[in-house]
Amino acid sequence: PLFRSGGRATVLAATKTVPAETVNRIYDLGIHTIGENKVQELLEKYDALDKRFDIHFIGRLQRNKVKYLIGKVSLIHSVDSLELAEEIDRRSAAAGLVTDCLIELNAGGEESKGGIAPEELDGFIAKIPALRHIRVRGLMTIPPKCDDTEKKLQYFRKISGIFIDNRAKKVDNSISMDILSMGMTHDYREALECGSNMVRIGEGIFGKRIYNKNTED
């Protein structure tokens, strides 16, 4: 884990496009948490992955694919609608499980990205206690791409402030708010400075890769 102000942060290796045999090598280097952002790719790799890994799902998730993740991942980072939360709850109930999730916030109001508008978060959280088979562990965000460090810090500070406010509320046992997942290869330092305790690093671990537009790094 990385050091950050006030504690430690978990390094999640974003493993998109990386073969399972390559991913497996990082476990003994001390990186024990990995994240996939495509359901199909996760399913193709799953049997070959070192079962000691803590596997997360970090990409945008369609409701019709939720069933493939239940029981395979320990945390879904990208809950961005009540309908998706309800589907995760339904599939988890059928499997006799409780699935941990993060609520994705759209920090910059970008139409091209998923996430709930920050001003809608309170209303969304109020509906979570009725879903008995999901547990909200915190928040995730991907800020707009920009070269202005101060502007990026403003986005991170905004989401961090919302995280701290909601952590203090203790609404229900199904909402614990202990994970703030923000920061990737090119901005994790700024994210850590603003209180992130989980950073998603792809290129910084595995090297430069070719992505389609609007994908997780």
Side-chain angles (χ1 to χ4, degrees), residues 18-20 24 34 36 38-56 68-74:
V18 182
N24 288 341
I34 61 175
E36 281 289 342
K38 296 289 184 182
V39 173
Q40 185 60 39
E41 186 172 352
L42 173 61
L43 296 178
E44 290 169 357
K45 291 180 187 177
Y46 186 77
D47 288 341
L49 289 171
D50 190 319
K51 292 304 178 281
R52 296 176 294 173
F53 277 121
D54 184 22
I55 303 174
H56 296 188
Y68 301 114
L69 296 182
I70 302 304
K72 287 186 169 64
V73 300
S74 65

Side-chain angles (χ1 to χ4, degrees), residues 2 16 18 20 31-32 45 66 70 78 99-100 113 126 128 137 171-172 180 196-197 200 208:
L2 294 168
K16 184 182 178 186
V18 182
I31 299 176
H32 299 162
K45 291 180 187 177
V66 168
I70 302 304
S78 48
T99 299
D100 286 345
K113 286 182 180 173
I128 294 298
R137 295 287 305 280
V171 175
D172 183 85
L180 178 57
S196 174
N197 58 22
R200 307 176 301 275
K208 189 73 174 176

Side-chain angles (χ1 to χ4, degrees), residues 2 21 31 53 67 72-73 76 92-93 96 105-106 124 130 136 138 161 174 177 187 200:
L2 294 168
E21 57 269 26
I31 299 176
F53 277 121
K67 59 187 176 184
K72 287 186 169 64
V73 300
I76 296 173
S92 299
L105 293 185
N106 191 329
F124 183 84
V136 171
S174 62
M177 287 289 171
D187 59 14
R200 307 176 301 275

Side-chain angles (χ1 to χ4, degrees), residues 89-161:
D89 179 71
R90 186 173 76 85
R91 293 290 183 177
S92 299
L97 300 171
V98 174
T99 299
D100 286 345
C101 301
L102 302 181
I103 299 171
E104 182 177 358
L105 293 185
N106 191 329
E110 297 173 283
E111 292 185 4
S112 62
K113 286 182 180 173
I116 294 168
E119 59 271 19
E120 296 175 358
L121 180 61
D122 287 349
F124 183 84
I125 285 178
K127 296 171 183 175
I128 294 298
L131 307 177
R132 306 313 302 176
H133 291 271
I134 69 171
R135 179 169 49 229
V136 171
R137 295 287 305 280
L139 304 177
M140 184 273 270
T141 196
I142 304 172
K145 289 185 178 181
C146 64
D147 296 325
D148 186 335
T149 298
E150 183 54 39
K151 194 167 186 179
K152 188 166 287 190
L153 284 169
Q154 289 176 9
Y155 288 119
F156 284 143
R157 289 178 188 131
K158 176 182 178 180
I159 301 304
S160 182

